[in-house]
Amino acid sequence: MTELVLDASVALAWCFRDERTEATAELLERVQTDAAAVPSLWHLEVVNVLALAERRRRITPAESAELITLLEMLEIVREERLTAYDAAYLELAMRLGLPLASKDDDLCDVAERLGVSVLRAA
């Protein structure tokens, strides 16, 4: 059962020593036993921050891989079970208030459920 919604800023605090707090440590302990819900874009945000940290030499590629492994061990439940790519298209359509054109039935179904106008190209 999902117990909380997890913002990427909390998960990223687990990845960087200088951002860890007692509160983030407690949340990590909680997520190790309880499931956390995240939006589909969560994975993109986390990977993007880790990639930027590598480029800025804040972490090494090996540390980045280790952090991704840590996060993969947690029970993270995506809200709509879309791929990160599909979620990016959906988020853009929602943000711009534009119809979404797609041949992907799952993406179209989620978009319609969330009130996005869909142009099914199937």
Side-chain angles (χ1 to χ4, degrees):
M1 176 179 230
T2 304
E3 297 293 326
L4 61 98
V5 174
L6 181 65
D7 180 68
S9 65
V10 173
L12 289 163
W14 303 331
C15 299
F16 302 109
R17 285 187 181 94
D18 61 337
E19 293 185 22
R20 291 180 193 155
T21 65
E22 187 174 318
T24 62
E26 290 171 5
L27 285 167
L28 176 57
E29 286 180 29
R30 183 172 174 180
V31 173
Q32 288 174 328
T33 58
D34 299 331
V38 297
S40 296
L41 289 174
W42 185 87
H43 297 86
L44 285 175
E45 184 177 4
V46 168
V47 170
N48 184 60
V49 170
L50 293 176
L52 288 172
E54 278 183 41
R55 251 186 276 175
R56 293 180 180 146
R57 298 193 186 338
R58 187 172 180 193
I59 59 174
T60 66
E63 289 171 319
S64 184
E66 184 178 312
L67 296 169
I68 290 169
T69 299
L70 165 72
L71 295 175
E72 287 175 341
M73 290 178 2
L74 302 174
E75 188 175 350
I76 303 296
V77 179
R78 286 183 299 168
E79 189 174 297
E80 294 293 345
R81 302 212 182 274
L82 293 175
T83 67
Y85 301 110
D86 286 349
Y89 290 112
L90 177 58
E91 183 278 331
L92 182 61
M94 292 172 74
R95 184 166 37 89
L96 297 178
L98 296 173
L100 174 67
S102 177
K103 291 179 67 173
D104 184 317
D105 287 332
D106 291 336
L107 175 57
C108 290
D109 292 345
V110 170
E112 287 174 337
R113 193 169 54 252
L114 295 175
V116 174
S117 177
V118 172
L119 304 172
R120 290 183 184 258

